[in-house]
């Protein structure tokens, strides 16, 4: 976190599947077990189509708000997609946004998910994610890069994380 405290976010496929978090020790590898707690679980309709899964967490911090992005649904489903939950504090509580999923079936791509964010050499925020090979074939999955922006929320509150579906680059096939 911005105060220097290290955390880890991870999924568990147990009796209470979802995304969990914990503090890490100063060595950045040892989990401080008493701090482990669950933060989100599959609950929105788009997450429950094929399997109850939330996985692949990634954290962004923007204007003091934490954005937890994750993949939801079964990775083999064409409706595998990316969602967002927000919190004012890294420990939560986390609330999923009403505009989920933020990336789902764009330009013929299906099964979009497992992602990470990075800044390109010009400082623009980007997302790398994979999709199914085609609408009929899951594997091998293909890699894509998209442009990400934060847009002012017209209802007030935290900015909206927005992925420009018109500017998605296919990294495997051209």
């Amino acid at each position: 976190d911005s105060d220097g405290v290290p955390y880890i976010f991870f999924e568990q496929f147990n009796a209470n599947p979802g995304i969990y978090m914990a503090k890490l020790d100063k060595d950045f590898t040892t989990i401080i077990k008493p701090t482990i707690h669950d933060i989100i679980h599959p609950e929105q309709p788009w997450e429950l189509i094929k399997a109850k899964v939330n996985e692949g967490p990634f954290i962004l911090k923007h204007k003091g708000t934490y954005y937890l992005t994750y993949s939801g649904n079964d990775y083999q489903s064409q409706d595998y997609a990316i969602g967002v939950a927000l919190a004012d504090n890294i420990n939560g509580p986390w609330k999923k946004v009403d505009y989920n999923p933020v990336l789902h079936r764009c330009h013929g791509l299906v099964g979009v998910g497992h992602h990470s964010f990075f800044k390109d050499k010009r400082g623009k925020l980007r997302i790398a994610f994979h999709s199914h090979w085609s609408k009929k074939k899951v594997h091998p999955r293909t890699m894509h890069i998209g442009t990400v922006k934060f847009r002012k929320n017209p209802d007030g509150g935290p900015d909206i994380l927005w992925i420009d579906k018109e500017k998605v680059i296919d990294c495997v096939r051209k």
Side-chain angles (χ1 to χ4, degrees):
D1 195 10
S2 51
D3 64 1
V5 176
Y7 294 89
I8 187 167
F9 290 77
F10 56 96
E11 68 267 1
Q12 285 198 15
F13 298 104
N14 55 20
N16 192 23
I19 296 179
Y20 291 70
M21 68 172 293
K23 281 185 182 180
L24 294 174
D25 206 342
K26 293 176 210 153
D27 63 8
F28 281 67
T29 58
T30 305
I31 291 176
I32 301 172
K33 291 186 179 177
T35 69
I36 296 172
H37 64 283
D38 57 330
I39 56 174
I40 63 169
H41 300 279
E43 61 187 1
Q44 293 181 324
W46 71 274
E47 300 169 324
L48 308 172
I49 294 170
K50 188 168 182 179
K52 296 178 180 178
V53 174
N54 284 164
E55 63 182 2
F58 196 98
I59 302 292
L60 293 169
K61 188 175 182 183
H62 172 74
K63 293 183 179 177
T65 298
Y66 295 89
Y67 290 72
L68 165 67
T69 59
Y70 62 94
S71 299
N73 210 332
D74 185 294
Y75 87 93
Q76 296 179 76
S77 169
Q78 290 188 4
D79 291 303
Y80 190 58
I82 298 172
V84 176
L86 304 178
D88 292 331
N89 182 298
I90 197 160
N91 289 296
W94 294 88
K95 183 181 181 323
K96 293 181 181 180
V97 299
D98 295 335
Y99 57 89
N100 274 336
V102 293
L103 187 61
H104 177 244
R105 294 184 180 237
C106 68
H107 292 292
L109 299 177
V110 296
V112 299
H114 269 125
H115 59 284
S116 62
F117 294 90
F118 66 96
K119 288 192 178 177
D120 68 15
K121 63 183 177 182
R122 293 184 187 103
K124 290 186 179 183
L125 186 60
R126 304 289 187 169
I127 183 172
F129 65 94
H130 66 66
S131 74
H132 292 181
W133 182 258
S134 68
K135 289 184 180 177
K136 294 182 180 180
K137 191 175 168 187
V138 174
H139 299 285
R141 290 182 276 177
T142 61
M143 199 66 184
H144 309 276
I145 295 175
T147 299
V148 181
K149 295 183 180 180
F150 288 94
R151 291 186 161 177
K152 185 174 176 78
N153 188 331
D155 299 326
D159 288 347
I160 294 171
L161 181 124
W162 179 76
I163 299 168
D164 187 345
K165 293 163 190 70
E166 300 301 317
K167 295 183 180 175
V168 171
I169 300 165
D170 187 329
C171 299
V172 178
R173 300 175 284 196
K174 296 203 178 200

